[in-house]
Amino acid sequence: MLSWLSEQIWADWIWFPEGHGWDDLKDHDGKVFPKTRDLWATLPIALGFLVIRQIFERTVAIPLASLLGVSDKQRLRAPTNPVLESYFCSSSKHPTQSSIESLSRQTGCSVRQVQRWFRRRRNQDRPSKLKKFREASWRFTFYLFAFFAGLAVLIDKPWFYDMKLMWEDFPKMPLIPSQYWYYMIELGFYLSLLLSVASDVKRKDFREQIVHHVATILLISFSWLVNYIRAGTLIMIVHDAADYLMESAKMFNYAGWRRTCNFIFTLFAAVFIITRLVILPFWIIHTTWVYPLTLYPPFLGFYFFNGLMFVLQILHIFWAVLILRMVIKFLPGNDIVEDERSDKEETESEDEEGNEWREKMKNGHVQNGHTVLNNNHNKTD
């Protein structure tokens, strides 16, 4: 039963155009072709990236952060309060107004004190600026290396200049060693990002990032299996072209280098729009979606590959909107670019009121959940 099911899933007519099949990818006459078992190599590569990342962040990213002046302002910690802590951990980090009033009555604290406690408690859980810098510097280093490595792999290939040649002799194009390593390293890196997503800084587009990583891993893996490697290398280099600029802009943002950040981010926005909204859809996707139909009748593998391409393109449009919103914000002269995806730290109107909080918790200066009016009534909150 399992053998029959496997034969049906991997049938030639599903993954290849008529007249072609898996037999075309068997090594012969000294020519090597991609194989399914090759993908297992990406697992140790992904684990290796996780180890290298830890070493890199400690030995390179942290000293670099110090050199660039990355520093975190000291956060005021929320005072110990079992009732509020229990609600924060089990119910919600953002209580409703009615919940705040209920907690105020339970704890004997004013409504504003409860609000302040939750604000400080949320800030405690937010990642530090140094952690964000370490992550950005790691991704910057990889994307920069990957982009120039991709250029070295593709610069002398004819399909880099005439994309229609990616289908020449398909699927019988032999594998080049540089393509093998380019694929394995890229796929290993995206697997490492997926494995570390639980511990990395979570942004507002967390779900979109997960979808992007999964779609990218499926796209790279599938293109390897059916020898869409020429198309795959072009797709990877188009993505890497802008990513290292974005990560470097973040690094200078965290360091407070405002003009440098704005300049690099503007450059990133231009490169992102050109590569993701022009070159990818109108050159590459056109060559993987429209042009093949002039050579072969459509088949399921064709629809699967291009379906993943369209998922990525939708995400690119989503991110392009966020990028343009950020560019518009600082064009009139704002000080610095703020990442729309970041979970921004909440500020306090008057930090010194923390002393008042502790004092009232000690002395019991509360009545029916509200502070008693006294000679300090002229203070504002």
Side-chain angles (χ1 to χ4, degrees):
M1 179 65 180
L2 291 176
S3 177
W4 177 85
L5 183 61
S6 177
E7 288 179 4
Q8 297 305 309
I9 292 174
W10 298 108
D12 290 344
W13 65 271
I14 294 178
W15 305 110
F16 295 94
E18 187 177 353
H20 297 282
W22 297 107
D23 287 341
D24 294 326
L25 301 183
K26 292 182 178 179
D27 297 348
H28 62 85
D29 301 328
K31 296 179 179 179
V32 179
F33 297 87
K35 300 172 184 63
T36 304
R37 64 174 180 269
D38 294 334
L39 296 178
W40 288 107
T42 61
L43 293 178
I45 291 174
L47 295 175
F49 270 127
L50 293 176
V51 173
I52 293 170
R53 173 179 173 176
Q54 295 301 316
I55 298 172
F56 174 88
E57 290 188 1
R58 287 179 171 83
T59 60
V60 178
I62 292 178
L64 181 60
S66 177
L67 182 65
L68 294 178
V70 178
S71 59
D72 288 304
K73 65 180 181 181
Q74 190 171 1
R75 296 171 177 172
L76 292 174
R77 300 184 62 84
T80 302
N81 189 304
V83 174
L84 298 182
E85 183 68 27
S86 174
Y87 187 93
F88 182 88
C89 295
S90 61
S91 298
S92 174
K93 297 181 180 181
H94 298 271
T96 62
Q97 184 62 32
S98 59
S99 297
I100 289 175
E101 292 173 356
S102 174
L103 291 169
S104 172
R105 290 189 292 270
Q106 293 177 50
T107 59
C109 304
S110 72
V111 168
R112 288 187 175 179
Q113 288 170 339
V114 173
Q115 290 172 334
R116 188 181 304 112
W117 188 94
F118 275 92
R119 183 168 59 244
R120 291 181 181 178
R121 185 64 181 82
R122 287 192 295 268
N123 281 339
Q124 284 177 212
D125 284 354
R126 287 187 171 89
S128 67
K129 193 179 293 184
L130 179 59
K131 178 177 174 60
K132 293 179 181 179
F133 181 90
R134 287 163 54 184
E135 290 186 11
S137 60
W138 164 246
R139 290 191 295 264
F140 163 77
T141 302
F142 175 81
Y143 290 136
L144 183 67
F145 165 80
F147 175 66
F148 285 102
L151 276 181
V153 169
L154 289 169
I155 197 69
D156 61 342
K157 306 300 185 293
W159 59 87
F160 185 62
Y161 306 96
D162 183 0
M163 294 184 185
K164 291 181 179 179
L165 293 178
M166 72 172 68
W167 296 104
E168 186 181 28
D169 296 329
F170 174 80
K172 302 177 183 180
M173 302 96 79
L175 179 64
I176 303 170
S178 60
Q179 291 175 327
Y180 172 85
W181 287 110
Y182 188 31
Y183 252 77
M184 294 302 106
I185 290 173
E186 284 272 0
L187 184 54
F189 180 75
Y190 279 104
L191 279 174
S192 73
L193 289 182
L194 198 60
L195 292 173
S196 64
V197 72
S199 60
D200 287 346
V201 174
K202 290 182 175 60
R203 303 184 183 277
K204 294 178 182 178
D205 64 342
F206 175 75
R207 293 179 181 177
E208 289 82 2
Q209 285 284 356
I210 294 295
V211 172
H212 176 271
H213 293 340
V214 172
T216 300
I217 290 169
L218 289 175
L219 188 62
I220 296 175
S221 301
F222 175 74
S223 64
W224 177 266
L225 291 177
V226 295
N227 207 9
Y228 284 11
I229 291 178
R230 293 181 179 180
T233 53
L234 292 173
I235 293 166
M236 289 189 294
I237 196 170
V238 161
H239 280 73
D240 292 333
D243 286 341
Y244 72 90
L245 290 171
M246 178 62 182
E247 299 303 332
S248 62
K250 289 180 185 178
M251 292 166 63
F252 286 110
N253 185 356
Y254 303 141
W257 293 35
R258 301 180 177 184
R259 292 183 180 178
T260 305
C261 171
N262 288 350
F263 172 77
I264 295 176
F265 189 85
T266 304
L267 182 60
F268 158 75
V271 173
F272 184 96
I273 291 170
I274 292 170
T275 55
R276 309 284 184 94
L277 300 187
V278 179
I279 293 176
L280 186 64
F282 295 108
W283 270 269
I284 298 178
I285 294 181
H286 180 271
T287 312
T288 62
W289 174 256
V290 178
Y291 179 70
L293 297 179
T294 65
L295 305 175
Y296 314 102
F299 52 100
L300 288 180
F302 163 84
Y303 290 118
F304 180 75
F305 179 81
N306 285 287
L308 292 174
M309 293 289 290
F310 285 124
V311 169
L312 289 181
Q313 192 56 40
I314 291 170
L315 290 172
H316 296 157
I317 294 171
F318 167 77
W319 282 317
V321 172
L322 296 182
I323 290 166
L324 289 175
R325 284 172 58 183
M326 285 186 273
V327 171
I328 290 171
K329 280 185 177 181
F330 75 82
L331 279 180
N334 291 347
D335 288 334
I336 194 165
V337 178
E338 292 289 350
D339 191 343
E340 289 273 339
R341 304 173 302 155
S342 295
D343 185 14
K344 298 175 184 177
E345 185 169 338
E346 298 168 83
T347 58
E348 303 216 21
S349 56
E350 289 193 15
D351 291 341
E352 67 272 9
E353 289 185 353
N355 295 328
E356 177 188 350
W357 161 282
R358 296 183 184 87
E359 205 56 41
K360 291 182 179 181
M361 292 284 285
K362 282 183 184 177
N363 300 332
H365 289 173
V366 290
Q367 183 176 352
N368 297 326
H370 299 281
T371 55
V372 179
L373 293 177
N374 53 38
N375 293 334
N376 295 325
H377 66 274
N378 61 320
K379 290 187 178 181
T380 57
D381 199 16

